[in-house]
Amino acid sequence: MTISKAYQRDILGLAFIISSVLATLYILLDISALFAYLNHEEKIASIFIHESIYFLIFLIPPYFIAKYMNQKDTIK
């Protein structure tokens, strides 16, 4: 039993959106940590950095998902 191309494209699109949002959250947490550190709030900065590490893995998948989705076989 195989997944049709339409469902496969929809699932990949949803995975791309979710990964992109979580990667953006990683970047926003790091920027917030930087601002907290510059305002001499080391405890808050360390919490932001600690929480952002979990989202680091979501930086890589959007690239590969988009690359796979842009192949001619996947789009048809």
Side-chain angles (χ1 to χ4, degrees):
M1 197 159 127
T2 61
I3 299 175
S4 69
K5 291 288 184 182
Y7 289 130
Q8 183 182 11
R9 189 176 59 229
D10 290 344
I11 291 169
L12 285 173
L14 186 61
F16 177 75
I17 291 171
I18 291 171
S19 294
S20 298
V21 167
L22 291 174
T24 304
L25 183 59
Y26 166 75
I27 293 168
L28 289 175
L29 281 171
D30 281 346
I31 291 171
S32 298
L34 177 66
F35 285 137
Y37 184 74
L38 292 176
N39 288 327
H40 305 291
E41 297 287 340
E42 287 83 12
K43 180 96 173 161
I44 294 172
S46 68
I47 291 172
F48 281 148
I49 290 291
H50 183 264
E51 293 298 322
S52 73
I53 289 174
Y54 298 114
F55 296 113
L56 179 64
I57 60 170
F58 292 106
L59 284 176
I60 299 170
Y63 172 75
F64 292 109
I65 292 172
K67 191 172 182 179
Y68 179 73
M69 285 176 55
N70 287 332
Q71 291 178 353
K72 296 208 183 264
D73 295 339
T74 310
I75 301 172
K76 289 183 181 179

